[in-house]
mmCIF file of all heavy atoms in Angstrom:
data_model
loop_
_atom_site.group_PDB
_atom_site.id
_atom_site.type_symbol
_atom_site.label_atom_id
_atom_site.label_comp_id
_atom_site.label_asym_id
_atom_site.label_seq_id
_atom_site.Cartn_x
_atom_site.Cartn_y
_atom_site.Cartn_z
ATOM 1 N N GLU A 653 -32.471 3.385 -1.764
ATOM 2 C CA GLU A 653 -32.368 4.839 -1.800
ATOM 3 C C GLU A 653 -32.607 5.517 -0.393
ATOM 4 O O GLU A 653 -32.146 6.573 -0.129
ATOM 5 C CB GLU A 653 -33.304 5.449 -2.840
ATOM 6 C CG GLU A 653 -33.041 5.114 -4.270
ATOM 7 C CD GLU A 653 -33.416 3.712 -4.655
ATOM 8 O OE1 GLU A 653 -34.228 3.121 -3.909
ATOM 9 O OE2 GLU A 653 -32.822 3.162 -5.617
ATOM 10 N N ASP A 654 -33.339 4.791 0.402
ATOM 11 C CA ASP A 654 -33.677 5.290 1.731
ATOM 12 C C ASP A 654 -32.744 4.709 2.839
ATOM 13 O O ASP A 654 -33.032 4.933 3.987
ATOM 14 C CB ASP A 654 -35.126 4.985 2.103
ATOM 15 C CG ASP A 654 -36.132 5.804 1.268
ATOM 16 O OD1 ASP A 654 -35.762 6.915 0.871
ATOM 17 O OD2 ASP A 654 -37.201 5.285 1.020
ATOM 18 N N ALA A 655 -31.727 3.951 2.448
ATOM 19 C CA ALA A 655 -30.895 3.294 3.437
ATOM 20 C C ALA A 655 -30.269 4.265 4.373
ATOM 21 O O ALA A 655 -30.180 4.044 5.632
ATOM 22 C CB ALA A 655 -29.875 2.415 2.761
ATOM 23 N N THR A 656 -29.708 5.389 3.849
ATOM 24 C CA THR A 656 -29.086 6.344 4.776
ATOM 25 C C THR A 656 -30.071 7.071 5.682
ATOM 26 O O THR A 656 -29.836 7.240 6.852
ATOM 27 C CB THR A 656 -28.309 7.376 3.884
ATOM 28 O OG1 THR A 656 -27.293 6.721 3.117
ATOM 29 C CG2 THR A 656 -27.677 8.453 4.751
ATOM 30 N N THR A 657 -31.193 7.418 5.129
ATOM 31 C CA THR A 657 -32.207 8.093 5.974
ATOM 32 C C THR A 657 -32.606 7.170 7.057
ATOM 33 O O THR A 657 -32.854 7.603 8.207
ATOM 34 C CB THR A 657 -33.449 8.401 5.080
ATOM 35 O OG1 THR A 657 -33.070 9.318 4.041
ATOM 36 C CG2 THR A 657 -34.540 9.073 5.929
ATOM 37 N N LEU A 658 -32.766 5.847 6.759
ATOM 38 C CA LEU A 658 -33.115 4.907 7.777
ATOM 39 C C LEU A 658 -32.136 4.926 8.971
ATOM 40 O O LEU A 658 -32.545 4.859 10.124
ATOM 41 C CB LEU A 658 -33.168 3.490 7.169
ATOM 42 C CG LEU A 658 -33.518 2.339 8.097
ATOM 43 C CD1 LEU A 658 -34.997 2.424 8.504
ATOM 44 C CD2 LEU A 658 -33.306 0.996 7.446
ATOM 45 N N GLN A 659 -30.799 5.014 8.662
ATOM 46 C CA GLN A 659 -29.805 4.930 9.691
ATOM 47 C C GLN A 659 -29.851 6.195 10.604
ATOM 48 O O GLN A 659 -29.645 6.150 11.806
ATOM 49 C CB GLN A 659 -28.454 4.729 9.115
ATOM 50 C CG GLN A 659 -28.304 3.463 8.330
ATOM 51 C CD GLN A 659 -28.781 2.208 9.105
ATOM 52 O OE1 GLN A 659 -28.326 2.020 10.224
ATOM 53 N NE2 GLN A 659 -29.619 1.409 8.526
ATOM 54 N N HIS A 660 -30.081 7.361 10.001
ATOM 55 C CA HIS A 660 -30.190 8.622 10.747
ATOM 56 C C HIS A 660 -31.488 8.532 11.601
ATOM 57 O O HIS A 660 -31.441 9.028 12.734
ATOM 58 C CB HIS A 660 -30.149 9.797 9.853
ATOM 59 C CG HIS A 660 -28.777 10.164 9.329
ATOM 60 N ND1 HIS A 660 -28.122 11.301 9.667
ATOM 61 C CD2 HIS A 660 -27.968 9.465 8.507
ATOM 62 C CE1 HIS A 660 -26.981 11.353 9.093
ATOM 63 N NE2 HIS A 660 -26.845 10.236 8.365
ATOM 64 N N ASN A 661 -32.558 8.007 11.056
ATOM 65 C CA ASN A 661 -33.809 7.907 11.788
ATOM 66 C C ASN A 661 -33.725 7.083 13.091
ATOM 67 O O ASN A 661 -34.316 7.365 14.070
ATOM 68 C CB ASN A 661 -34.933 7.380 10.872
ATOM 69 C CG ASN A 661 -35.391 8.452 9.872
ATOM 70 O OD1 ASN A 661 -35.068 9.621 10.022
ATOM 71 N ND2 ASN A 661 -36.266 8.055 8.969
ATOM 72 N N ILE A 662 -32.968 5.972 12.927
ATOM 73 C CA ILE A 662 -32.839 5.090 14.113
ATOM 74 C C ILE A 662 -32.141 5.816 15.253
ATOM 75 O O ILE A 662 -32.429 5.621 16.449
ATOM 76 C CB ILE A 662 -32.224 3.728 13.765
ATOM 77 C CG1 ILE A 662 -32.368 2.745 14.982
ATOM 78 C CG2 ILE A 662 -30.700 3.874 13.384
ATOM 79 C CD1 ILE A 662 -31.901 1.364 14.714
ATOM 80 N N ILE A 663 -31.075 6.638 14.936
ATOM 81 C CA ILE A 663 -30.305 7.290 15.903
ATOM 82 C C ILE A 663 -31.186 8.363 16.548
ATOM 83 O O ILE A 663 -31.257 8.478 17.806
ATOM 84 C CB ILE A 663 -29.085 7.963 15.320
ATOM 85 C CG1 ILE A 663 -28.064 6.929 14.770
ATOM 86 C CG2 ILE A 663 -28.330 8.825 16.301
ATOM 87 C CD1 ILE A 663 -27.651 5.957 15.761
ATOM 88 N N ARG A 664 -31.900 9.176 15.755
ATOM 89 C CA ARG A 664 -32.736 10.190 16.310
ATOM 90 C C ARG A 664 -33.880 9.671 17.184
ATOM 91 O O ARG A 664 -34.206 10.170 18.276
ATOM 92 C CB ARG A 664 -33.308 11.129 15.193
ATOM 93 C CG ARG A 664 -32.107 11.898 14.531
ATOM 94 C CD ARG A 664 -32.646 12.577 13.230
ATOM 95 N NE ARG A 664 -31.586 13.320 12.626
ATOM 96 C CZ ARG A 664 -31.421 13.383 11.287
ATOM 97 N NH1 ARG A 664 -32.281 12.757 10.460
ATOM 98 N NH2 ARG A 664 -30.457 14.183 10.760
ATOM 99 N N SER A 665 -34.499 8.651 16.639
ATOM 100 C CA SER A 665 -35.767 8.105 17.325
ATOM 101 C C SER A 665 -35.456 7.320 18.570
ATOM 102 O O SER A 665 -36.233 7.245 19.484
ATOM 103 C CB SER A 665 -36.545 7.230 16.424
ATOM 104 O OG SER A 665 -35.778 6.074 16.014
ATOM 105 N N HIS A 666 -34.186 6.785 18.656
ATOM 106 C CA HIS A 666 -33.873 5.928 19.794
ATOM 107 C C HIS A 666 -33.197 6.717 20.923
ATOM 108 O O HIS A 666 -32.905 6.146 21.977
ATOM 109 C CB HIS A 666 -32.953 4.794 19.357
ATOM 110 C CG HIS A 666 -33.664 3.718 18.626
ATOM 111 N ND1 HIS A 666 -34.537 3.916 17.597
ATOM 112 C CD2 HIS A 666 -33.727 2.347 18.829
ATOM 113 C CE1 HIS A 666 -35.044 2.814 17.112
ATOM 114 N NE2 HIS A 666 -34.530 1.829 17.890
ATOM 115 N N ALA A 667 -32.829 7.935 20.671
ATOM 116 C CA ALA A 667 -32.151 8.769 21.692
ATOM 117 C C ALA A 667 -33.108 9.268 22.730
ATOM 118 O O ALA A 667 -33.416 10.509 22.806
ATOM 119 C CB ALA A 667 -31.333 9.882 21.052
ATOM 120 N N VAL A 668 -33.693 8.436 23.472
ATOM 121 C CA VAL A 668 -34.777 8.764 24.373
ATOM 122 C C VAL A 668 -34.526 8.378 25.884
ATOM 123 O O VAL A 668 -35.457 8.419 26.673
ATOM 124 C CB VAL A 668 -36.093 8.168 23.900
ATOM 125 C CG1 VAL A 668 -36.558 8.859 22.625
ATOM 126 C CG2 VAL A 668 -36.046 6.694 23.797
ATOM 127 N N SER A 669 -33.344 8.021 26.211
ATOM 128 C CA SER A 669 -33.046 7.806 27.624
ATOM 129 C C SER A 669 -33.124 9.139 28.318
ATOM 130 O O SER A 669 -32.958 10.225 27.740
ATOM 131 C CB SER A 669 -31.601 7.156 27.842
ATOM 132 O OG SER A 669 -30.596 7.879 27.134
ATOM 133 N N VAL A 670 -33.347 9.130 29.666
ATOM 134 C CA VAL A 670 -33.685 10.272 30.377
ATOM 135 C C VAL A 670 -32.832 10.401 31.635
ATOM 136 O O VAL A 670 -32.065 9.575 31.985
ATOM 137 C CB VAL A 670 -35.221 10.306 30.765
ATOM 138 C CG1 VAL A 670 -36.074 10.337 29.547
ATOM 139 C CG2 VAL A 670 -35.540 9.136 31.605
ATOM 140 N N GLY A 671 -33.000 11.521 32.407
ATOM 141 C CA GLY A 671 -32.338 11.722 33.622
ATOM 142 C C GLY A 671 -30.981 12.263 33.502
ATOM 143 O O GLY A 671 -30.612 12.911 32.541
ATOM 144 N N GLU A 672 -30.194 12.053 34.610
ATOM 145 C CA GLU A 672 -28.885 12.587 34.685
ATOM 146 C C GLU A 672 -27.939 11.957 33.633
ATOM 147 O O GLU A 672 -28.127 10.769 33.398
ATOM 148 C CB GLU A 672 -28.303 12.431 36.075
ATOM 149 C CG GLU A 672 -29.053 13.233 37.158
ATOM 150 C CD GLU A 672 -28.909 14.703 36.975
ATOM 151 O OE1 GLU A 672 -27.797 15.158 36.634
ATOM 152 O OE2 GLU A 672 -29.930 15.412 37.044
ATOM 153 N N PRO A 673 -27.004 12.668 33.141
ATOM 154 C CA PRO A 673 -26.074 12.161 32.146
ATOM 155 C C PRO A 673 -25.247 11.061 32.781
ATOM 156 O O PRO A 673 -24.810 11.139 33.961
ATOM 157 C CB PRO A 673 -25.296 13.297 31.603
ATOM 158 C CG PRO A 673 -25.367 14.302 32.679
ATOM 159 C CD PRO A 673 -26.704 14.185 33.346
ATOM 160 N N LEU A 674 -24.751 10.092 32.059
ATOM 161 C CA LEU A 674 -23.780 9.094 32.450
ATOM 162 C C LEU A 674 -22.458 9.782 32.779
ATOM 163 O O LEU A 674 -22.141 10.726 32.143
ATOM 164 C CB LEU A 674 -23.636 8.021 31.405
ATOM 165 C CG LEU A 674 -24.759 7.099 31.114
ATOM 166 C CD1 LEU A 674 -24.423 6.239 29.932
ATOM 167 C CD2 LEU A 674 -25.130 6.278 32.320
ATOM 168 N N GLU A 675 -21.790 9.231 33.797
ATOM 169 C CA GLU A 675 -20.480 9.744 34.060
ATOM 170 C C GLU A 675 -19.467 9.588 32.954
ATOM 171 O O GLU A 675 -19.654 8.722 32.094
ATOM 172 C CB GLU A 675 -19.889 8.960 35.270
ATOM 173 C CG GLU A 675 -20.628 9.092 36.584
ATOM 174 C CD GLU A 675 -20.075 8.229 37.685
ATOM 175 O OE1 GLU A 675 -18.858 8.118 37.779
ATOM 176 O OE2 GLU A 675 -20.876 7.651 38.438
ATOM 177 N N LYS A 676 -18.473 10.472 32.926
ATOM 178 C CA LYS A 676 -17.570 10.540 31.810
ATOM 179 C C LYS A 676 -16.910 9.230 31.598
ATOM 180 O O LYS A 676 -16.784 8.713 30.468
ATOM 181 C CB LYS A 676 -16.493 11.655 32.064
ATOM 182 C CG LYS A 676 -15.511 11.786 31.028
ATOM 183 C CD LYS A 676 -14.474 12.920 31.259
ATOM 184 C CE LYS A 676 -13.486 13.026 30.078
ATOM 185 N NZ LYS A 676 -12.559 14.192 30.389
ATOM 186 N N GLU A 677 -16.493 8.525 32.655
ATOM 187 C CA GLU A 677 -15.765 7.243 32.450
ATOM 188 C C GLU A 677 -16.633 6.155 31.858
ATOM 189 O O GLU A 677 -16.226 5.311 31.170
ATOM 190 C CB GLU A 677 -15.046 6.836 33.656
ATOM 191 C CG GLU A 677 -15.921 6.310 34.805
ATOM 192 C CD GLU A 677 -15.108 5.593 35.878
ATOM 193 O OE1 GLU A 677 -13.876 5.812 35.985
ATOM 194 O OE2 GLU A 677 -15.645 4.890 36.720
ATOM 195 N N ILE A 678 -17.912 6.230 32.198
ATOM 196 C CA ILE A 678 -18.860 5.311 31.689
ATOM 197 C C ILE A 678 -19.086 5.529 30.179
ATOM 198 O O ILE A 678 -19.077 4.599 29.351
ATOM 199 C CB ILE A 678 -20.226 5.353 32.354
ATOM 200 C CG1 ILE A 678 -20.148 4.873 33.837
ATOM 201 C CG2 ILE A 678 -21.321 4.578 31.620
ATOM 202 C CD1 ILE A 678 -19.881 3.350 33.882
ATOM 203 N N VAL A 679 -19.276 6.762 29.738
ATOM 204 C CA VAL A 679 -19.417 7.117 28.374
ATOM 205 C C VAL A 679 -18.183 6.659 27.564
ATOM 206 O O VAL A 679 -18.292 6.035 26.544
ATOM 207 C CB VAL A 679 -19.696 8.625 28.148
ATOM 208 C CG1 VAL A 679 -19.698 8.945 26.668
ATOM 209 C CG2 VAL A 679 -21.008 9.032 28.818
ATOM 210 N N ARG A 680 -17.061 6.976 28.101
ATOM 211 C CA ARG A 680 -15.772 6.500 27.476
ATOM 212 C C ARG A 680 -15.660 4.997 27.369
ATOM 213 O O ARG A 680 -15.184 4.481 26.363
ATOM 214 C CB ARG A 680 -14.555 7.140 28.168
ATOM 215 C CG ARG A 680 -14.483 8.678 28.024
ATOM 216 C CD ARG A 680 -13.221 9.211 28.806
ATOM 217 N NE ARG A 680 -12.017 8.670 28.374
ATOM 218 C CZ ARG A 680 -11.310 9.093 27.312
ATOM 219 N NH1 ARG A 680 -11.730 10.151 26.615
ATOM 220 N NH2 ARG A 680 -10.127 8.548 27.020
ATOM 221 N N ALA A 681 -16.074 4.333 28.409
ATOM 222 C CA ALA A 681 -16.012 2.887 28.366
ATOM 223 C C ALA A 681 -16.958 2.311 27.253
ATOM 224 O O ALA A 681 -16.627 1.344 26.645
ATOM 225 C CB ALA A 681 -16.360 2.314 29.776
ATOM 226 N N ILE A 682 -18.150 2.916 27.189
ATOM 227 C CA ILE A 682 -19.108 2.445 26.176
ATOM 228 C C ILE A 682 -18.515 2.696 24.708
ATOM 229 O O ILE A 682 -18.589 1.830 23.838
ATOM 230 C CB ILE A 682 -20.481 3.158 26.328
ATOM 231 C CG1 ILE A 682 -21.047 2.690 27.676
ATOM 232 C CG2 ILE A 682 -21.395 2.749 25.142
ATOM 233 C CD1 ILE A 682 -22.369 3.486 28.049
ATOM 234 N N GLN A 683 -17.943 3.901 24.565
ATOM 235 C CA GLN A 683 -17.371 4.176 23.215
ATOM 236 C C GLN A 683 -16.228 3.136 22.956
ATOM 237 O O GLN A 683 -16.137 2.713 21.791
ATOM 238 C CB GLN A 683 -16.852 5.619 23.242
ATOM 239 C CG GLN A 683 -17.906 6.677 23.275
ATOM 240 C CD GLN A 683 -17.255 8.064 23.379
ATOM 241 O OE1 GLN A 683 -16.517 8.359 24.331
ATOM 242 N NE2 GLN A 683 -17.514 8.924 22.404
ATOM 243 N N PHE A 684 -15.446 2.874 23.923
ATOM 244 C CA PHE A 684 -14.336 1.921 23.780
ATOM 245 C C PHE A 684 -14.928 0.606 23.362
ATOM 246 O O PHE A 684 -14.425 -0.086 22.405
ATOM 247 C CB PHE A 684 -13.555 1.745 25.040
ATOM 248 C CG PHE A 684 -12.442 0.816 25.011
ATOM 249 C CD1 PHE A 684 -11.199 1.138 24.431
ATOM 250 C CD2 PHE A 684 -12.581 -0.457 25.547
ATOM 251 C CE1 PHE A 684 -10.176 0.257 24.361
ATOM 252 C CE2 PHE A 684 -11.520 -1.387 25.486
ATOM 253 C CZ PHE A 684 -10.308 -1.038 24.919
ATOM 254 N N MET A 685 -15.995 0.107 24.063
ATOM 255 C CA MET A 685 -16.644 -1.154 23.750
ATOM 256 C C MET A 685 -17.227 -1.150 22.320
ATOM 257 O O MET A 685 -17.183 -2.160 21.647
ATOM 258 C CB MET A 685 -17.650 -1.496 24.744
ATOM 259 C CG MET A 685 -17.167 -2.317 25.934
ATOM 260 S SD MET A 685 -16.210 -3.747 25.458
ATOM 261 C CE MET A 685 -17.290 -4.627 24.258
ATOM 262 N N ILE A 686 -17.745 -0.021 21.860
ATOM 263 C CA ILE A 686 -18.256 0.063 20.501
ATOM 264 C C ILE A 686 -17.138 -0.158 19.516
ATOM 265 O O ILE A 686 -17.297 -0.936 18.530
ATOM 266 C CB ILE A 686 -18.929 1.396 20.276
ATOM 267 C CG1 ILE A 686 -20.260 1.513 21.034
ATOM 268 C CG2 ILE A 686 -19.246 1.655 18.749
ATOM 269 C CD1 ILE A 686 -20.856 2.943 21.070
ATOM 270 N N LEU A 687 -15.983 0.409 19.751
ATOM 271 C CA LEU A 687 -14.828 0.261 18.915
ATOM 272 C C LEU A 687 -14.386 -1.283 18.889
ATOM 273 O O LEU A 687 -14.066 -1.869 17.851
ATOM 274 C CB LEU A 687 -13.693 1.079 19.340
ATOM 275 C CG LEU A 687 -13.854 2.598 19.166
ATOM 276 C CD1 LEU A 687 -12.589 3.255 19.611
ATOM 277 C CD2 LEU A 687 -14.189 2.950 17.693
ATOM 278 N N VAL A 688 -14.430 -1.861 20.065
ATOM 279 C CA VAL A 688 -13.963 -3.256 20.131
ATOM 280 C C VAL A 688 -14.932 -4.215 19.445
ATOM 281 O O VAL A 688 -14.560 -5.089 18.643
ATOM 282 C CB VAL A 688 -13.893 -3.655 21.659
ATOM 283 C CG1 VAL A 688 -13.659 -5.118 21.849
ATOM 284 C CG2 VAL A 688 -12.735 -2.851 22.338
ATOM 285 N N SER A 689 -16.209 -4.012 19.674
ATOM 286 C CA SER A 689 -17.212 -4.872 19.123
ATOM 287 C C SER A 689 -17.309 -4.710 17.560
ATOM 288 O O SER A 689 -17.255 -5.732 16.863
ATOM 289 C CB SER A 689 -18.632 -4.576 19.760
ATOM 290 O OG SER A 689 -19.615 -5.398 19.186
#
């Protein structure tokens, strides 16, 4: 029953990188790799 909550929690709790945002082409490359993997 808590499986969905668990998945949202991992996204929210893990979004803790800091500093300047990654360049657009880096973000797009990571998204592409997520689709591939």
